[in-house]
Amino acid sequence: MRKTIIKGLTAVFILFTSATVLSAQGNKSEVSVFVAGGLSTLDYEAAFGNHKNGAGGNLGIGYTYFISENFGLNTGAEFSLYQAELTKDKFNNVSRSLVDASDGELYDFYSSVKGYKEKQNVTYLNIPLMAQFQSGEKNKLYAQAGVKLGIPVKGKYKSSASEMVNKGFFHDTENWGETQEFMGFGTFTNYSNNEDIRLRVVCFFSADLGMKWALSDKLFLYTGAYLDYGLNDIVKDSRNQNFIKFRDTSEGLVTLNSSVLNSSIGYGSNTLTQTLSDRVIPVSIGLKVRLALGL
């Protein structure tokens, strides 16, 4: 991951240096810093619960090389944050045919969860390649459109539940286990979990529209609206892992959960599972302010 980010930044630096040399030969260009914010979320269809969009934005630097007075090419680098949330009042899950490590007996693990909440946030390093058109005298109307390559930096989800009740049905003895905490059985309140989400590189369609204000001959303030729309699924893992999962520790079996972004849920009445989300794409729309220095 670190090597990919370094390669991306190196490519931006080479583009910046090359365009600066051309600018020194008589062509105009701009360097800029910008901040943007608004709706910045992970868009997906959830199989259960209520999906809520989140807020976020981006912070970055840019370089624009003007081929003519009205047309230029823009690149740079920006860090972008995307957030979303899912809540579910109550649900059940079953994991079938687990093996009891003490005697090898098969059992099914049943969970009943109340007050579930999951918050997801991901961070990307985006590298844009945009075309800019501007028109006007001193103050100009501008528009940008193009693509961005998003390199994943970090993906996390935090989950919690007001109550989780776990029990197991053992096949050979046809008995229920309900109190063996070393196997994860029992009633647990104020459950919480915090883990990573593995992410893919993403390609965005991106557009900006607004006004370019001339503060002086070489200093400009851009104000406008922007849109970044992801074109591919960013979740790297398959979605066939069970929503409720387990981890062996020195104290026994610990019950955890996967993210709704990369898992399926099982139901106690049958052996079927249901994928909890379809493709996940980052989407951002909001306002952007950019301060640019002419070279």
Side-chain angles (χ1 to χ4, degrees):
M1 180 70 68
R2 184 177 300 175
K3 290 182 178 179
T4 304
I5 294 173
I6 292 174
K7 288 180 180 179
L9 291 174
T10 301
V12 172
F13 176 77
I14 292 172
L15 287 172
F16 179 88
T17 304
S18 300
T20 301
V21 171
L22 291 173
S23 176
Q25 297 173 352
N27 296 300
K28 290 186 177 181
S29 58
E30 292 175 356
V31 292
S32 60
V33 293
F34 60 87
V35 62
L39 175 71
S40 190
T41 190
L42 301 175
D43 183 45
Y44 57 90
E45 291 291 335
F48 76 8
N50 298 314
H51 170 252
K52 297 179 181 179
N53 293 319
N58 53 56
L59 175 69
I61 58 174
Y63 179 85
T64 306
Y65 170 66
F66 288 100
I67 298 173
S68 67
E69 182 180 354
N70 295 325
F71 184 77
L73 297 176
N74 174 270
T75 187
E78 63 186 35
F79 284 99
S80 298
L81 172 67
Y82 308 89
Q83 301 187 99
E85 180 179 295
L86 182 133
T87 57
K88 176 70 173 175
D89 291 337
K90 184 178 180 180
F91 67 90
N92 299 317
N93 183 77
V94 59
S95 297
R96 296 190 181 275
S97 300
L98 302 181
V99 178
D100 184 351
S102 63
D103 57 15
E105 185 177 358
L106 294 178
Y107 69 100
D108 298 332
F109 195 104
Y110 290 81
S111 299
S112 177
V113 181
K114 295 181 180 179
Y116 181 78
K117 178 185 289 187
E118 179 177 319
K119 293 183 177 181
Q120 306 121 11
N121 65 81
V122 303
T123 305
Y124 271 85
L125 172 65
N126 295 335
I127 300 174
L129 182 58
M130 311 275 284
Q132 177 172 321
F133 175 80
Q134 59 187 28
S135 178
E137 297 299 328
K138 182 177 180 181
N139 300 317
K140 302 177 186 293
L141 177 70
Y142 80 93
Q144 285 187 338
V147 296
K148 292 180 181 178
L149 180 67
I151 302 170
V153 177
K154 186 178 182 180
K156 297 286 291 186
Y157 71 95
K158 295 182 180 180
S159 57
S160 62
S162 59
E163 181 183 85
M164 178 182 288
V165 180
N166 298 328
K167 59 183 179 179
F169 180 77
F170 292 86
H171 294 194
D172 292 345
T173 59
E174 297 187 349
N175 288 325
W176 286 94
E178 299 182 354
T179 59
Q180 299 95 321
E181 290 193 4
F182 67 92
M183 294 190 69
F185 302 156
T187 299
F188 306 94
T189 58
N190 299 321
Y191 164 84
S192 63
N193 188 33
N194 184 354
E195 294 191 63
D196 294 335
I197 304 170
R198 299 204 314 150
L199 302 171
R200 290 191 178 106
V201 171
V202 62
C203 181
F204 293 92
F205 166 76
S206 184
D208 293 16
L209 178 66
M211 287 296 298
K212 176 182 179 181
W213 310 95
L215 303 181
S216 69
D217 290 341
K218 289 187 173 293
L219 189 62
F220 307 95
L221 179 66
Y222 288 78
T223 59
Y226 77 101
L227 167 69
D228 292 334
Y229 190 88
L231 301 178
N232 61 281
D233 187 1
I234 64 171
V235 176
K236 194 170 186 178
D237 294 323
S238 66
R239 292 178 169 86
N240 58 7
Q241 60 180 322
N242 203 298
F243 185 56
I244 302 295
K245 59 184 182 179
F246 313 96
R247 180 176 298 159
D248 287 323
T249 69
S250 59
E251 298 178 354
L253 200 65
V254 177
T255 308
L256 304 170
N257 73 282
S258 301
S259 170
V260 297
L261 302 184
N262 60 11
S263 60
S264 299
I265 193 168
Y267 295 96
S269 60
N270 53 52
T271 59
L272 298 177
T273 60
Q274 182 179 14
T275 301
L276 288 179
S277 68
D278 61 354
R279 71 170 191 157
V280 180
I281 57 174
V283 177
S284 185
I285 183 171
L287 301 178
K288 179 182 287 187
V289 177
R290 175 158 50 119
L291 186 64
L293 177 65
L295 300 177

